[in-house]
Amino acid sequence: VVAPWDWQPSVNQAGETRGWIVHPTEGISTKGIFGALFPAFMLYLLFFIDHNISSILTQAPKYNLKKPASYHWDFFCLGVTIVPCGILGLPPGSGLIPQAPLHTRALATRKIVEKHGVKQEVTTHVEEQRWSALGQACMMFVALSLFTVISWIPK
């Protein structure tokens, strides 16, 4: 794997350097565009349903969140980043880490309560913060900037 360190547009098969902005339909026929509509719609549904289900599970009443609507900002940020990714020819990101139910559970303080002889786990407090999402994004950036080191891994 050849991974150049300099941040510049890649070279196409004809040996020409492409620009930073990618023309979305260059080299694709009308038949190809219409053929991609069904898989694109399925991917859209996957993102939409996956993010909504995760958001609903994360904001469940059992977590006693003070600001549950803050998770909607993840959708906004994801939507804002998807457009530049499409224009620049980059893969879209996924914002599921900060709104995953396991992430919320990991930030929760829980205690065991016994009701009618049955022990239940009750969430007493959730540390509502955005630092872990920022940390995840920073780790992704570090991984991207280590392409040269990753290219040293033998095949």
Side-chain angles (χ1 to χ4, degrees):
V1 174
V2 178
W5 177 245
D6 50 344
W7 293 86
Q8 62 184 359
S10 58
V11 178
N12 64 13
Q13 292 177 348
E16 304 164 344
T17 303
R18 69 172 180 88
W20 283 101
I21 306 296
V22 177
H23 190 280
T25 59
E26 182 180 347
I28 302 173
S29 66
T30 307
K31 184 179 176 182
I33 292 171
F34 283 107
L37 285 178
F38 181 72
F41 182 70
M42 296 304 285
L43 186 63
Y44 162 75
L45 282 179
L46 174 71
F47 265 54
F48 185 77
I49 292 170
D50 195 23
H51 283 73
N52 276 315
I53 289 174
S54 292
S55 181
I56 288 168
L57 290 174
T58 302
Q59 299 174 43
K62 69 178 184 179
Y63 290 122
N64 299 325
L65 296 176
K66 294 178 185 171
K67 297 184 272 182
S70 66
Y71 286 96
H72 296 301
W73 281 105
D74 291 330
F75 290 119
F76 176 75
C77 293
L78 187 66
V80 168
T81 59
I82 281 179
V83 172
C85 286
I87 291 172
L88 295 173
L90 301 171
S94 177
L96 284 182
I97 295 292
Q99 63 194 46
L102 289 175
H103 184 261
T104 304
R105 190 175 194 284
L107 295 172
T109 304
R110 300 174 304 274
K111 68 178 181 177
I112 304 294
V113 176
E114 188 172 334
K115 288 185 180 179
H116 309 293
V118 177
K119 292 183 180 180
Q120 292 180 333
E121 185 177 76
V122 177
T123 302
T124 58
H125 174 73
V126 175
E127 192 65 41
E128 298 181 51
Q129 45 83 20
R130 307 311 292 162
W131 291 108
S132 53
L134 178 65
Q136 180 240 352
C138 290
M139 286 190 291
M140 286 177 56
F141 179 74
V142 167
L144 286 174
S145 53
L146 291 176
F147 273 158
T148 304
V149 174
I150 293 171
S151 70
W152 296 338
I153 298 173
K155 292 180 182 179

